[in-house]
């Protein structure tokens, strides 16, 4: 018998097992239509004597990706996707319906079971999964905690330690790990197959429905020793990207273990409703949407992309090595070309060392590392790039050097090969101008360490053609990066805005602040590091050399370098170092005071509030210029760049989101104030910030 109960849920009965197959949208998001359809189907099956058990299925790509995130943004809902009403049962009610169902329900997981999707599966009485399935509770990455009983049920299935790890990191686990941990009961290639139906029928015939909430074996130890949950969570809490959501989740898990499932459910609901309305979660949901929008840049035709099987990397330094590892990790054969044998050997040895570290940390198996290494070859000869589909240049940051390299590449690679530069500031148009086929040139600006940091600014030059853009973009996606398309200007989007911030940081020192105060303000805001700590880590001599070459100065930074203080590598920079341990250095304070005096600046007390605004608002202003010039397509693209490339705290949504949230009118007023205070006309509001109705305007593409 096959009988569609609802267009988004198919229902058939085989050997006494009712198969309910969810088929809604791309990922079976549990919006009200799907919830209603599932509850209708269950209601019909409850009293059907022909049905002994139920097998709940999804689609190959997704059992379900959880609650429908778009419903959280509905103004009247306030997270009310959880509330019942005419729209149908809320997710908690649906989950309760499943758990209390009089006949055993087996969830058959294919693709992903995430968030509310996994919570639905955990409410079933048994779970089978295909070996390729992935399971997780990623709510924390949206500034939330599981909201449909996940904080209570997961510890009851896998124990408190594994549960806290999954809930506080949001990471997905493989079907194999899920089986080992007890999150699933069996692996079956196709959970909708006859074999799976047989499994579910056996289960229904031999067992009464066992509710997950009643399983207490794996939490008994923690329940008897209050404080266990807080202890187990301490490390993850320290590392949590959203401490607000992490605290809330720990409270719910702890109540569900140390008191009761029902008490935990009450705490979970309270905390979920608080978090879903919080600015921190709204910011992270904005980033989720912005990241997906950035995957669809205007005029990008993914079908125009060439498949990259073989790649070349020019330069085996830190960036070249990182890019090589990222390409090889995605199965691409890479030839790394260096000018000198010693530099090549050093670069290859560093790659070996990085791989050994990841094996020793358990993030990679030895077999993986060996496979990756076998794809990498070093060479001193451009002729070895003859068969490459893509070459990424990561050489010294000098226009002439890069132009020479591209001219050499022209002579050695085929006409179809795409040529990318990893330059962080230079003009792709000037690099392309000297080549025979400028249409095949683009920028692929990676961030250090390139094998770890997700962002790639894909820089589209004036001549870059559709196939080149598509190849750069899709290759970046294929190697697991987050590409954002930008156009050519000095420093593109990220570094152009960073430069503005660095200038302000230097000004603040001259006017009266000290490095420790400035860094502390940005860390309180949520950055992992302040600008001066970051400078010390990267090495101050690089910027010094660039400034000298370009005839620019930065009085304090220059004075530090003249005193031989290049940062951590010399043990002295803005701070003094014992190993990595840093402390304030009275010598630096004196040096800064001397520089101010020599420039005739009367130092003053500067508030933390002013420091924050002076660092962030000029950046936002530069972002507005970038949008007005069309360098970035959308405000959200700028936010993704800062979140993925510069560790902008996700719960602050990115600079343009932050501006909208703070109030565009307020930001514009303060910029006018600082422009006057510092006699710096570049601080006058620009782009959309300068519009007349700015008090009610929002950054384009963002809510007001
Ligand atoms: N709700 C609404 N839409 C969703 C969604 C969700 N939970 N998950 C994915 N989508 C949408 C995406 O926005 C995208 O839409 P567009 O094509 O219009 O851009 C589409 O589905 C495909 O998604 P991706 O482009 O991300 O595809 P992918 O293959 O790269 O990744 C995925 C698929 C792993 C499911 C990924 O989309 C993902 O991680 N989704 C979010 C999962 C999540 O965070 N779930 C928790 C929700 S909160 C919750 O469930 C609270 C609770 O406890 C009740």
């Amino acid at each position: 018998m096959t009988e569609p109960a609802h267009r988004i849920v198919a229902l058939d009965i085989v050997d006494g097992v009712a198969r309910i197959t969810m088929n809604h949208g791309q990922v079976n998001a549990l919006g009200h239509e799907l919830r209603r359809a599932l509850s209708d189907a269950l209601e019909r099956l409850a009293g059907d004597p022909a049905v002994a058990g139920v097998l709940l299925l999804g689609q190959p790509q997704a059992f379900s990706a959880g609650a429908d995130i778009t419903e959280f943004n509905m103004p009247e809902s306030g997270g009310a996707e959880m509330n019942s009403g005419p729209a149908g049962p809320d997710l908690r009610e649906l989950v309760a319906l499943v758990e209390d169902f009089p006949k055993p329900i087996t969830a058959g997981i294919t693709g992903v079971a995430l968030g509310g999707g996994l919570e639905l599966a955990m409410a079933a009485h048994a779970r089978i999964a295909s070996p390729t399935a992935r399971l997780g509770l990623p709510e924390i990455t949206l500034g939330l905690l599981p909201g449909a009983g996940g904080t209570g049920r997961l510890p009851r299935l896998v124990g408190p330690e594994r549960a806290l790890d999954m809930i506080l990191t949001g990471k997905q686990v493989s079907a194999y790990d899920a089986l080992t941990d007890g999150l699933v009961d069996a692996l079956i290639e196709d959970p909708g197959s006859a074999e799976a139906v047989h499994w579910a029928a056996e289960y229904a015939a031999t067992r009464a429905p066992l509710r997950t909430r009643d399983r207490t074996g794996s939490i008994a130890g923690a329940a008897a020793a209050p404080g266990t949950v807080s202890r187990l969570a301490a490390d993850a809490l320290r590392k949590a990207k959203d401490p607000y959501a992490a605290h809330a989740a720990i409270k719910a898990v702890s109540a569900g273990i140390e008191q009761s499932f029902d008490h935990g459910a009450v705490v979970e609901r309270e905390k979920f409703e608080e978090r879903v309305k919080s600015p921190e979660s709204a910011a992270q949901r904005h980033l989720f949407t912005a990241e997906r929008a950035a995957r669809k840049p205007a005029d990008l035709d993914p079908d125009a992309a060439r498949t990259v099987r073989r790649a070349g990397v020019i330069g085996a330094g830190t960036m070249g090595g990182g890019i090589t590892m990222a390409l090889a990790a995605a199965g691409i054969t890479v030839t790394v070309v260096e000018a000198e044998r010693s530099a090549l050997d050093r670069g290859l040895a560093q790659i070996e060392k990085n791989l050994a570290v990841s094996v020793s940390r358990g993030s990679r198996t030895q077999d993986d590392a060996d496979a990756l290494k076998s794809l990498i070859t070093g060479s001193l000869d451009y002729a070895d790039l003859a068969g490459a589909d893509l070459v990424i240049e990561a050489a010294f940051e000098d226009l002439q050097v890069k132009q020479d390299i591209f001219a050499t590449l022209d002579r050695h690679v085929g006409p179809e090969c795409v040529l990318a530069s990893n330059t962080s500031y230079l003009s792709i148009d000037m690099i392309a101008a000297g080549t025979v086929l400028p249409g095949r040139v683009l920028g692929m600006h990676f961030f250090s360490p390139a094998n770890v940091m997700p962002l790639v600014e894909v820089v589209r030059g004036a001549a870059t053609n559709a196939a080149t853009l598509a190849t750069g973009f899709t290759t970046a996606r294929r190697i697991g990066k987050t590409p954002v398309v930008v156009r050519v200007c000095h420093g593109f989007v990220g570094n152009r805005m960073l430069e503005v911030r660095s200038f302000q940081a230097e000004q603040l020192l001259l006017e009266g602040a000290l490095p420790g105060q400035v860094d502390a303000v940005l860390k309180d805001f949520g950055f992992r590091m302040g600008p001066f700590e970051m400078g010390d880590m990267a090495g101050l001599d690089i910027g010094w050399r660039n400034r000298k070459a370009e005839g620019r100065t930065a009085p304090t930074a220059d004075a530090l370098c003249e005193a031989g203080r290049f940062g951590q590598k010399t043990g002295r920079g803005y701070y003094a170092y014992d190993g990595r341990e840093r402390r304030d250095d009275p010598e630096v304070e004196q040096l800064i005071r001397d520089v101010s005096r020599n420039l005739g600046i009367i130092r003053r007390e500067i508030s933390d509030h002013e420091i924050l605004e002076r660092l962030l608002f000029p950046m936002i202003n530069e972002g507005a210029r970038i949008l007005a010039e069309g360098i970035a397509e959308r405000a959200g693209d700028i936010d993704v760049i800062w979140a993925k490339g510069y560790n902008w705290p996700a719960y602050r949504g990115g600079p343009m989101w932050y501006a909208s949230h703070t109030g565009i009118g307020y930001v514009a007023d303060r910029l006018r104030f600082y422009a006057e205070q510092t006699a710096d006309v570049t601080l006058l509001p620009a782009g959309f910030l300068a519009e007349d109705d700015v008090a009610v305007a929002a950054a384009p593409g963002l809510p007001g």
Side-chain angles (χ1 to χ4, degrees):
M1 175 189 96
T2 300
E3 193 187 345
H6 189 285
R7 70 187 169 84
I8 55 174
V9 157
L11 182 60
D12 65 354
I13 300 174
V14 185
D15 296 339
V17 173
R19 284 193 301 199
I20 302 178
T21 307
M22 300 180 275
N23 182 14
H24 183 43
Q26 300 184 66
V27 293
N28 276 331
L30 287 156
H32 68 89
E33 281 181 291
L34 182 53
R35 298 195 304 268
R36 158 66 63 208
L38 282 173
S39 82
D40 284 353
L42 286 171
E43 244 164 59
R44 291 182 55 193
L45 296 171
D48 187 338
V51 173
V54 174
L55 181 56
L56 179 58
L57 300 164
Q59 295 299 312
Q61 72 281 10
F63 173 78
S64 166
D68 185 338
I69 293 167
T70 58
E71 286 187 353
F72 295 142
N73 298 331
M74 289 178 184
E76 73 283 4
S77 79
E81 172 270 349
M82 292 292 166
N83 299 337
S84 56
D90 69 29
L91 198 48
R92 289 189 196 98
E93 287 166 343
L94 177 65
V95 156
L97 192 67
V98 167
E99 192 166 60
D100 294 332
F101 202 68
K103 304 168 189 185
I105 299 184
T106 299
I109 301 171
T110 43
V112 289
L114 300 176
L118 180 56
E119 292 178 290
L120 183 67
M122 289 195 292
H125 309 106
R127 283 149 294 282
I128 55 179
S130 78
T132 52
R134 304 202 55 87
L135 301 85
L137 292 176
E139 286 87 342
I140 192 139
T141 63
L142 299 170
L144 299 170
L145 57 151
T151 60
R153 289 193 183 87
L154 188 59
R156 282 165 171 75
L157 289 169
V158 304
E161 193 164 359
R162 298 290 295 134
L164 283 164
D165 185 40
M166 284 177 70
I167 293 169
L168 296 178
T169 62
K171 74 182 175 202
Q172 299 175 9
V173 297
S174 69
Y176 289 101
D177 287 346
L179 181 68
T180 313
D181 291 342
L183 181 51
V184 302
D185 303 290
L187 300 188
I188 293 181
E189 195 62 41
D190 174 4
S193 63
E195 183 191 358
V197 168
H198 180 71
W199 194 97
E202 280 267 310
Y203 187 83
T206 52
R207 294 190 225 177
L210 172 60
R211 302 194 309 176
T212 304
R213 56 180 286 157
D214 298 330
R215 300 185 183 196
T216 49
S218 54
I219 57 163
T228 306
V229 170
S230 318
R231 185 173 51 74
L232 291 174
D235 193 39
L237 181 59
R238 250 194 321 276
K239 293 186 198 145
K241 291 210 172 120
D242 181 341
Y244 306 95
H247 265 295
I250 294 166
K251 282 224 154 51
V253 171
S254 151
I257 291 178
E258 292 174 10
Q259 298 185 47
S260 65
F261 182 87
D262 285 330
H263 185 69
V266 171
V267 174
E268 182 190 85
R269 172 180 311 195
E270 261 173 38
K271 296 286 169 196
F272 184 90
E273 272 156 24
E274 171 199 303
R275 284 293 98 209
V276 85
K277 290 182 197 145
S278 71
E280 292 82 18
S281 173
Q284 288 167 89
R285 289 180 340 242
H286 154 67
L287 279 173
F288 178 86
T289 313
E291 257 183 68
R292 272 138 195 95
R295 289 181 193 168
K296 296 167 195 154
D299 313 332
L300 181 99
D301 174 11
D303 293 338
R306 302 207 176 96
T307 307
V308 174
R309 293 188 186 82
R310 293 199 51 194
V313 173
I314 309 293
T318 312
M319 288 310 289
I323 295 168
T324 301
M325 285 176 67
L327 291 165
I332 299 172
T333 305
V334 193
T335 305
V336 197
V337 176
E338 253 297 349
E340 309 261 338
R341 163 67 52 196
S342 56
L344 182 62
D345 289 347
R346 245 194 334 271
L348 293 175
Q350 187 60 44
I351 290 175
E352 291 239 9
K353 200 165 139 197
N354 292 345
L355 287 173
V357 169
S358 49
V359 170
S360 70
R361 282 194 188 146
S363 56
R364 204 183 283 288
T365 65
Q366 187 61 51
D367 284 352
D368 270 357
D370 291 343
L372 196 152
K373 247 186 317 196
S374 72
L375 293 172
I376 302 173
T377 322
S379 168
L380 299 173
D381 189 351
Y382 278 66
D384 289 334
L385 297 176
D389 305 298
L390 166 72
V391 176
I392 303 176
E393 164 277 315
F396 190 64
E397 191 72 349
D398 177 280
L399 184 61
Q400 189 60 55
V401 169
K402 293 191 191 282
Q403 284 174 331
D404 290 348
I405 289 172
F406 276 71
T408 312
L409 285 170
D410 260 344
R411 293 196 296 277
H412 289 95
V413 300
E416 298 283 283
C417 177
V418 167
L419 303 183
S421 171
N422 176 51
T423 178
S424 18
Y425 288 96
L426 298 172
S427 163
I428 294 300
D429 294 337
M430 288 169 83
I431 294 172
T435 65
V436 179
L437 299 169
R440 61 147 140 189
V441 177
L442 85 165
M444 287 181 78
H445 179 210
F446 289 78
F447 289 72
S448 187
N451 50 323
V452 178
M453 292 295 281
L455 180 66
V456 179
E457 284 179 320
V458 173
V459 190
R460 173 184 196 166
T464 305
N465 67 31
T468 303
L469 183 70
T471 305
F473 192 87
T474 51
T475 306
R477 288 250 9 227
R478 182 172 152 208
I479 65 176
K481 301 293 178 192
T482 305
V484 180
V485 172
V486 301
R487 290 191 184 261
V488 176
C489 66
H490 182 76
F492 315 120
V493 172
N495 280 350
R496 175 167 160 183
M497 290 168 72
L498 181 67
E499 212 165 79
V500 170
R501 191 183 82 178
S502 306
F503 176 78
Q504 289 300 324
E506 166 83 26
Q507 290 304 109
L508 287 164
L509 293 189
L510 296 177
E511 290 171 36
L514 289 172
Q517 188 192 2
V518 175
D519 283 342
V521 167
L522 270 200
K523 284 199 285 192
D524 279 353
F525 182 77
F527 278 95
R528 268 194 253 142
M529 259 189 234
F532 299 116
E533 284 169 296
M534 204 176 88
D536 273 358
M537 201 181 75
L540 302 177
D541 49 327
I542 304 163
W544 188 40
R545 215 181 312 123
N546 290 344
R547 284 194 297 278
K548 281 203 281 196
E550 294 168 11
R552 291 185 295 118
T553 59
T556 314
D558 292 349
L560 285 171
C561 288
E562 277 150 24
R565 305 185 70 114
F566 292 165
Q568 278 189 23
K569 60 180 155 192
T570 52
R572 296 149 76 240
Y574 284 102
Y575 301 97
Y577 293 88
D578 300 318
R580 286 203 167 178
E581 209 53 38
R582 75 165 173 83
R583 57 185 160 76
D584 292 335
D585 187 342
E587 257 183 47
V588 174
E589 184 172 341
Q590 192 52 50
L591 180 145
I592 292 171
R593 287 183 189 284
D594 291 346
V595 174
S596 299
R597 199 186 50 245
N598 294 341
L599 291 169
I601 297 168
I602 298 164
R603 293 176 67 79
R604 64 187 168 92
E605 188 91 3
I606 303 184
S607 71
D608 288 355
H609 181 74
E610 176 176 343
I611 290 178
L612 188 67
E613 292 190 347
R614 288 273 301 278
L615 292 175
L616 302 188
F617 291 4
M619 273 177 58
I620 291 163
N621 207 23
E622 202 59 29
R625 283 194 189 96
I626 282 170
L627 281 175
E629 293 167 22
I631 300 294
E633 210 173 292
R634 315 171 190 82
D637 288 358
I638 298 179
D639 289 340
V640 173
I641 287 173
W642 271 81
K644 297 289 173 183
Y646 298 83
N647 286 320
W648 177 285
Y651 62 82
R652 306 268 193 196
M656 308 319 276
W657 169 269
Y658 180 70
S660 285
H661 188 73
T662 307
I664 298 291
Y666 175 76
V667 174
D669 281 349
R670 297 303 288 163
L671 280 166
R672 277 186 209 97
F673 171 80
Y674 291 123
E676 195 175 317
Q677 176 184 285
T678 61
D680 179 353
V681 290
T682 66
L683 294 185
L684 286 171
F688 69 88
L689 286 165
E691 282 165 19
D692 287 345
D693 57 349
V694 79
V696 289
L702 296 184

